[in-house]
């Protein structure tokens, strides 16, 4: 394609400004900004606000019209390093300021709108065929690997390494992107190579633009070629905004200097606004969603406002409650959606979605917030599918399990948080390894037992050490465990990001093997659950999609046993299965952990059907009530045992139970202390409607009990197990209360000290 004429660009210039008016891109003061400087500049970078002039008034070049630089506002300098975490009282003060909608920036007045979003190297909207390079060391370090945040495998030298790396170490190397259409290029984000064996990154670079990939123009800083500051380490993303954004089709990153002990390696994202083509009849069609939802990233204050707005819109079916606080005192909010909010209804199963366990994996958070809005509005419209879910299921939505981590990642910005910033709790805890490891407790007991059938396969008690005040258990983890005791959850999904796959228990392998298929007794049903989500997700179900990093999950139909992927002791999935009645899977939603806000509408469309159909699976299997035959009262803690499935569940406080099962016929036995066992044949159909299997149990007189035992009958003596489980939960709650009081006292003391003159 030849060069763009000025007249063409003049016609479309105004349209460009409208399409490029994205809100919230890189709008945080802690981002690592790098701007055009000359070769003698230091590693400090100057931030400048950009405005767009009308194309008729702009200067021309061989590339196209160029927006001019506006007068500098609140000129400041930002070092190329991450700002340290603020103290607890600073964070509290920040939240209060945000709530009053009067935030005062410490370092600069941040512009409310910055021009253009990422083109999609990280999110894979940019195809491999659009990337070229001057040279590369081998296929695994080719230009297609030069994507922001792409991860390498453990072994260097394979086909999936962690960057583009040039074969030669000279200033003539480049990584090139063909945008296919004309784009207003505004910036570049750079990272070094992801590798546990090599340290490689680019210190400085030039940016070149072209309309035909033959004639190239280097971005200028006045009369000199501009030199952009790159990285000082392999992982921290560094943003460089062009002082004079330009329209072109091709862009090159041309490294000038690099780490002295390394080579030329980089990962990148390109910022730009696509230019609409009047000659393209499909140019006006934008990918997005027909649902009118609040598609943007919500910080803590904005999340609360959205949740409140949903309850105000649908007060009859929603309720907001909290299950605890984070380390810094941010509340863990849950939205309940039910036709009778605030109450467990006999026979109605309880469902939960949990998002934001890793704070920087932000897509799940936004999907859960979108789901709240969607279900509220569709219920009011009379959408029968949603009405059925609301009236037959009690739904609990926890959008942010790790609000401290999210706030930290949000401060950096969607493209600048890197791969791990905000992943961990404030204390540095990975919450998906923080639940009690009940797997090895069960497996060790089975190995020691002479009769393995006598070893409990469910409702396993917390270990004693886990309940202590000095146990390394995050307050957020403690809050979720307590939540699990209060609500008899049946089905759950834990929403993550950074890959495209659905995993199911067990996540932990036996004997600490790095990865090995470790199935549960309910492996077939877990595979069904994972398949339901994966097969209805528009990205996962696409056979032509590119793998995210280095693992091809399509060969497993986009589902995998957690242990077969990599061992995760202390996962929430395994804990839910072994400590409660709840079945849970993990959904890895996207390659990009923190997608740009402009991508949220399409991500909602990718996941909407999956989120709904997965919830509907809670109505598969059998359900019923275990009652005393004569008093008709429900019997709590009755064991529901399915023949040939070595995993039991229990009835809850009112005697009702739910047992998730695939279609088929089952022999089901109910056991309860002080009652004769009761057996029924129950058939499960193919439709997501549970089969009703009630049990009426007869108490056992002492004499009849003796006769029953004399005939060899066995009644499980599990009251000790239940007492131990309840005791450990009480201890955990007590130690949690003590720790929360200590933290609150410390926060108040710091706040009082800070107020003193």
């Amino acid at each position: 394609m030849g060069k763009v004429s000025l007249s063409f660009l003049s016609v479309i210039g105004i349209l460009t400004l409208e399409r490029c008016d994205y809100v919230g891109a890189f709008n945080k003061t802690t981002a690592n900004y790098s701007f055009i400087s000359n070769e003698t500049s230091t590693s400090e970078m100057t931030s400048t606000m950009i405005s767009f002039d009308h194309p008729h008034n702009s200067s021309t070049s061989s590339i196209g019209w160029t927006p001019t630089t506006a007068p500098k506002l609140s000129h400041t300098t930002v070092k190329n390093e991450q700002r340290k975490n603020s103290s607890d009282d600073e964070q509290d003060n920040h939240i209060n300021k945000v709530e009053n909608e009067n935030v005062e920036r410490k370092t600069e007045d941040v512009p409310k709108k910055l021009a253009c979003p990422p083109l999609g190297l990280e999110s894979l909207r940019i195809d491999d065929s659009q990337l070229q390079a001057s040279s590369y060391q081998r296929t695994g370090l080719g230009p297609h690997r030069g994507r922001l945040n792409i991860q390498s495998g453990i072994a260097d030298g394979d086909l999936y390494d962690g960057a583009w790396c040039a074969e030669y170490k000279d200033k003539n190397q480049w990584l090139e992107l063909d945008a296919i259409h004309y784009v207003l290029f505004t910036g570049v984000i750079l990272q070094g190579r992801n590798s546990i064996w090599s340290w490689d990154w680019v210190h400085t670079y030039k940016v070149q633009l072209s309309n035909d990939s033959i004639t190239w123009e280097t971005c200028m800083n006045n009369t000199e070629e501009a030199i952009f500051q790159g990285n000082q380490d392999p992982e921290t993303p560094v943003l460089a905004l062009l002082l004079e954004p330009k329209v072109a089709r091709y862009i090159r990153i041309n490294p000038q200097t690099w780490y002295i002990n390394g080579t030329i390696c980089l990962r990148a994202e390109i910022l730009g606004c696509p230019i609409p083509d009047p000659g393209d009849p499909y140019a006006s069609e934008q990918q997005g969603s027909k649902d009118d939802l609040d598609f943007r990233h919500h910080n803590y204050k904005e999340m609360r406002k959205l949740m409140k707005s949903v309850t105000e819109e649908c007060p009859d079916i929603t309720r907001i409650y909290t299950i605890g606080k984070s380390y810094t005192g941010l509340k863990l909010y849950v939205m309940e959606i039910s036709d009778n909010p605030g109450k467990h209804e006999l026979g109605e199963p309880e469902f939960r979605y949990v998002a934001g366990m890793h704070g920087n994996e932000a897509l799940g958070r936004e999907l859960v917030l979108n789901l709240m809005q969607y279900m509220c509005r569709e219920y009011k419209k009379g959408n029968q599918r949603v009405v059925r879910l609301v009236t037959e299921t009690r739904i609990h939505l926890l959008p942010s399990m790790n609000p401290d981590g999210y706030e930290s990642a949000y401060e950096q910005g969607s493209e600048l948080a890197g791969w791990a910033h905000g992943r961990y709790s404030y204390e540095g805890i990975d919450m998906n390894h923080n639940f009690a490891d009940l797997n090895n407790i069960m497996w060790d007991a089975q190995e020691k037992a002479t009769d393995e059938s006598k070893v409990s396969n469910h409702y396993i008690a917390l270990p004693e050490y886990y309940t202590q005040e000095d146990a390394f258990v995050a307050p957020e983890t403690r809050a979720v465990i307590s939540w699990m005791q209060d609500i008899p959850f049946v089905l759950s999904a834990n929403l993550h990001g950074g890959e495209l796959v659905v995993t199911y228990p067990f996540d932990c392998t036996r004997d600490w093997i790095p990865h090995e298929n470790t199935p549960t007794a309910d492996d077939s049903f877990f595979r069904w659950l994972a398949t339901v989500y994966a097969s209805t997700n528009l990205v996962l179900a696409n056979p032509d999609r590119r793998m995210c990093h280095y693992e091809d999950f399509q060969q497993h139909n986009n589902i995998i046993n957690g242990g077969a992927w990599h061992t995760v002791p202390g996962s929430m999935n395994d804990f839910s299965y072994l400590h409660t009645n709840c079945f849970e899977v993990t959904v890895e939603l996207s390659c990009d952990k923190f997608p740009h806000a402009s991508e949220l509408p399409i991500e909602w469309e990718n996941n909407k059907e999956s989120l709904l159909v997965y919830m509907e699976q809670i109505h598969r299997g059998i359900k019923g009530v275990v009652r005393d035959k004569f008093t008709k009262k429900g019997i709590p803690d009755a064991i529901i045992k399915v023949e040939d499935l070595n995993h039991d569940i229990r009835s809850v406080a009112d005697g009702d139970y739910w047992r998730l099962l695939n279609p088929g016929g089952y022999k089901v036995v109910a056991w309860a202390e002080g009652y004769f066992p009761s057996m029924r044949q129950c058939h499960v159909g193919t439709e997501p409607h549970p089969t009703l299997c009630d049990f009426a149990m007869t108490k056992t007189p002492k004499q009849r009990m003796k006769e029953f035992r004399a005939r060899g009958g066995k009644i499980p003596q599990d009251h000790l197990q239940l007492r131990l489980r309840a005791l450990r939960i009480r201890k955990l709650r007590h130690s949690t209360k003590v720790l929360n009081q200590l933290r609150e006292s410390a926060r108040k003391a710091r706040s009082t000290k800070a107020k003193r003159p």
Side-chain angles (χ1 to χ4, degrees):
M1 185 178 295
K3 297 180 181 179
V4 183
S5 67
L6 176 62
S7 59
F8 170 73
L9 289 172
S10 298
V11 171
I12 64 176
I14 298 176
L15 293 175
T16 303
L17 301 185
E18 293 298 321
R19 290 173 61 99
C20 291
D21 199 17
Y22 288 86
V23 179
F26 316 115
N27 62 345
K28 301 300 169 186
T29 61
T30 52
N32 289 319
Y33 287 92
S34 172
F35 287 80
I36 294 176
S37 62
N38 57 37
E39 292 191 16
T40 60
S41 66
T42 67
S43 62
E44 295 183 345
M45 298 155 285
T46 303
S47 71
T48 305
M49 188 172 182
I50 296 172
S51 68
F52 294 96
D53 286 345
H54 193 283
H56 289 299
N57 299 326
S58 63
S59 59
T60 61
S61 68
S62 62
I63 300 299
W65 69 273
T66 303
T68 60
T69 304
K72 296 180 179 180
L73 301 178
S74 299
H75 197 269
T76 187
T77 300
V78 184
K79 296 266 187 190
N80 187 14
E81 62 184 14
Q82 294 183 350
R83 190 174 66 180
K84 296 181 179 179
N85 291 331
S86 61
S87 63
D88 294 347
D89 54 313
E90 286 177 332
Q91 184 165 0
D92 291 339
N93 290 336
H94 172 69
I95 293 168
N96 291 333
K97 289 178 181 179
V98 173
E99 289 176 348
N100 294 329
E101 300 184 351
N102 187 27
V103 180
E104 295 181 1
R105 301 299 184 185
K106 294 182 180 180
T107 57
E108 66 178 1
D109 294 330
V110 179
K112 292 182 179 179
K113 298 180 182 180
L114 284 176
C116 295
L119 294 183
L121 276 80
E122 182 177 11
S123 66
L124 304 185
R125 281 188 291 115
I126 296 297
D127 190 75
D128 286 349
S129 62
Q130 294 175 249
L131 297 169
Q132 297 186 47
S134 54
S135 65
Y136 51 90
Q137 294 179 14
R138 58 177 182 275
T139 302
L141 293 169
H144 65 293
R145 303 298 293 175
R147 299 173 180 270
L148 188 72
N149 284 322
I150 202 165
Q151 302 294 293
S152 69
I154 294 177
D156 279 357
D158 60 14
L159 296 176
Y160 308 107
D161 220 315
W164 161 66
C165 291
E167 183 178 4
Y168 309 106
K169 295 202 289 187
D170 60 48
K171 295 184 179 182
N172 298 317
Q173 304 306 304
W174 44 260
L175 176 68
E176 177 184 314
L177 165 66
D178 176 3
I180 304 298
H181 305 288
Y182 287 99
V183 168
L184 176 69
F185 291 108
T186 61
V188 174
I189 302 173
L190 220 61
Q191 260 180 330
R193 177 181 178 182
N194 176 255
S195 172
I196 62 174
W197 309 109
S198 304
W199 279 49
D200 303 293
W201 59 83
V202 169
H203 280 310
T204 61
Y205 61 98
K206 296 179 181 179
V207 174
Q208 301 170 335
L209 300 168
S210 174
N211 289 331
D212 56 12
S213 76
I214 298 173
T215 303
W216 291 88
E217 179 178 307
T218 301
C219 290
M220 302 297 290
N221 181 19
N222 295 321
T223 59
E224 298 180 346
E225 293 185 342
I227 301 295
F228 296 86
Q229 296 296 323
N231 302 104
Q232 301 298 322
D233 63 69
E235 293 298 332
T236 304
V238 176
L239 168 65
L241 291 179
L242 309 185
L243 285 177
E244 295 185 0
K246 293 187 177 181
V247 174
R249 172 174 168 175
Y250 301 89
I251 185 170
R252 279 182 179 177
I253 300 170
N254 174 215
Q256 297 297 295
T257 60
W258 46 92
Y259 179 52
I260 190 170
N261 293 323
T263 187
I264 299 174
C265 293
L266 63 86
R267 294 173 286 167
E269 182 61 87
I270 306 297
L271 308 183
C273 288
I275 300 294
D277 183 356
D280 183 356
Y282 303 103
S284 61
E285 296 183 7
Q286 300 183 40
Q287 286 188 323
S289 174
K290 295 180 181 179
D291 297 320
D292 183 20
L293 307 177
D294 190 5
F295 293 118
R296 61 193 174 98
H297 288 293
H298 298 77
N299 63 13
Y300 180 70
K301 168 254 183 179
E302 292 162 344
M303 179 189 74
R304 293 192 301 181
K305 285 181 64 177
L306 185 147
M307 294 176 72
K308 183 180 179 182
S309 71
V310 173
T311 60
E312 291 173 347
E313 187 175 353
C314 295
D316 295 336
I317 63 167
T318 61
R319 178 177 73 103
I320 298 175
Y321 64 97
T322 63
I323 61 172
K325 292 183 179 181
S326 71
Y327 185 90
T328 65
L330 302 183
K331 293 180 180 179
L332 306 184
Y333 287 103
V334 177
M335 170 75 75
E336 177 190 344
I337 301 178
S338 168
D339 62 340
N340 195 0
K343 180 181 178 181
H344 172 72
E345 298 181 72
L346 188 71
E348 187 169 293
E350 311 257 0
F351 178 91
R352 73 170 182 255
Y353 273 128
V354 176
M357 171 180 278
H358 295 144
N360 63 330
E361 295 169 15
L363 178 56
R365 175 191 181 104
E366 298 308 321
L367 290 177
V368 169
L369 294 175
N370 293 153
L371 184 62
M372 296 175 190
Q373 297 173 280
Y374 176 82
M375 295 194 71
C376 166
R377 294 172 186 178
E378 292 301 306
Y379 181 86
K380 292 175 66 177
K381 292 177 183 178
N383 181 324
Q384 286 304 298
R385 184 183 192 186
V386 173
V387 169
R388 192 161 48 248
L389 272 169
V390 172
T391 56
E392 297 178 359
T393 317
R394 191 179 179 208
I395 300 165
H396 305 260
L397 306 175
L398 172 60
S400 186
M401 182 178 166
N402 180 7
D404 293 345
Y406 177 82
E407 291 299 300
S408 179
Y410 181 84
E411 286 282 330
Q412 292 292 94
S414 63
E415 310 307 313
L416 298 173
W419 188 250
H421 188 91
R423 172 187 176 92
Y424 305 101
S425 74
Y426 186 88
E427 300 170 278
I429 297 173
D430 187 334
M431 294 182 199
N432 204 34
H433 294 259
N434 197 224
F435 288 81
D437 178 8
L438 305 182
N439 305 56
N440 284 291
I441 291 175
M442 180 181 70
W443 293 331
D444 290 346
Q446 289 173 348
E447 290 178 1
K448 295 174 183 177
T450 55
D451 184 357
E452 190 173 310
S453 65
K454 293 183 179 180
V455 176
S456 178
N457 58 28
H458 70 292
Y459 263 43
I460 299 173
L462 295 170
E464 176 66 27
Y465 76 87
Y466 196 84
T467 67
Q468 304 301 310
E469 292 179 21
D470 59 352
F472 198 53
V473 184
E476 299 88 346
T477 308
R478 292 170 178 266
V480 170
I481 292 175
S482 183
W483 185 37
M484 292 177 178
Q485 316 308 315
D486 295 334
I487 309 292
F489 293 113
V490 177
L491 181 62
S492 174
N494 186 10
L495 306 181
H496 285 239
E499 257 298 352
L500 283 167
V501 68
V502 183
T503 73
Y504 53 90
F506 285 125
D507 292 329
C508 182
T509 60
R510 288 177 180 257
D511 303 319
W512 305 99
I513 296 173
H515 52 87
E516 180 181 63
N517 188 51
T518 312
T520 66
D522 291 282
D523 188 62
S524 62
F525 192 80
F526 273 118
R527 290 178 62 83
W528 166 259
L529 289 173
T531 300
V532 162
Y533 199 102
S535 63
T536 54
N537 180 280
L538 298 184
V539 176
L540 284 165
N542 180 5
D544 299 322
R545 73 172 179 87
R546 182 194 188 281
M547 69 178 69
C548 290
H549 302 287
Y550 55 89
E551 293 176 289
D552 183 8
F553 292 110
Q554 286 187 294
Q555 63 181 319
H556 306 295
N557 296 316
N558 301 305
I559 69 172
I560 192 170
N561 172 265
W565 186 15
H566 57 264
T567 186
V568 182
S571 78
M572 188 162 72
N573 288 0
D574 289 3
F575 182 84
S576 293
Y577 185 67
L578 293 176
H579 187 68
T580 74
N581 291 331
C582 187
F583 286 31
E584 182 173 298
V585 303
T586 291
V587 182
E588 299 283 351
L589 293 163
S590 68
C591 303
D592 188 347
K593 288 185 174 185
F594 204 138
H596 188 267
S598 61
E599 301 200 32
L600 295 179
I602 190 62
E603 289 291 1
W604 165 250
E605 290 299 320
N606 290 339
N607 287 276
K608 177 170 66 174
E609 176 62 22
S610 304
L611 291 167
L612 294 173
V613 74
Y614 184 82
M615 285 193 287
E616 292 169 338
Q617 304 315 301
I618 200 170
H619 297 288
R620 291 193 178 275
I622 61 175
K623 74 171 186 177
V625 182
V626 182
R627 290 188 174 95
D628 185 292
K629 185 175 182 180
F630 298 103
T631 67
K632 307 302 181 184
K633 291 183 178 180
I635 302 173
D637 295 319
I639 299 175
I640 307 300
K641 180 179 286 292
V642 179
E643 189 174 56
D644 298 327
L645 283 178
N646 189 29
H647 181 77
D648 306 330
I649 57 101
R650 289 180 183 263
S651 62
V652 298
D654 296 326
D656 44 346
Y657 76 91
W658 306 263
R659 182 54 164 99
L660 299 176
L661 293 166
N662 280 324
Y666 298 91
K667 178 181 177 181
V668 184
V669 180
W671 304 76
E673 187 74 18
Y675 290 86
F676 283 113
S678 178
M679 188 274 287
R680 287 196 60 179
Q681 292 287 342
C682 304
H683 183 269
V684 178
T686 57
E687 296 299 317
H689 302 297
T691 299
L692 189 63
C693 285
D694 291 332
F695 291 91
M697 303 191 71
T698 304
K699 283 188 176 180
T700 52
K702 293 182 180 180
Q703 183 60 34
R704 295 186 65 183
M705 179 67 75
K706 291 179 181 179
E707 294 173 358
F708 179 75
R709 286 174 174 166
R711 293 195 301 267
K714 294 181 179 179
I715 294 182
Q717 303 292 317
D718 68 333
H719 63 281
L720 291 178
Q721 176 194 346
L722 288 175
R723 288 179 61 187
L724 179 62
R725 183 178 181 275
L727 174 65
R728 296 280 171 79
I729 287 297
R730 286 197 299 271
K731 285 187 174 182
L732 180 73
R733 284 175 165 167
H734 175 73
S735 63
T736 300
K737 183 178 180 180
V738 171
L739 291 170
N740 287 342
Q741 290 173 342
L742 291 173
R743 277 192 288 268
E744 186 63 29
S745 297
R747 278 194 291 269
K748 289 180 179 178
R750 286 193 297 270
S751 178
T752 302
K753 184 178 180 180
K755 292 177 181 178
R756 292 173 183 169

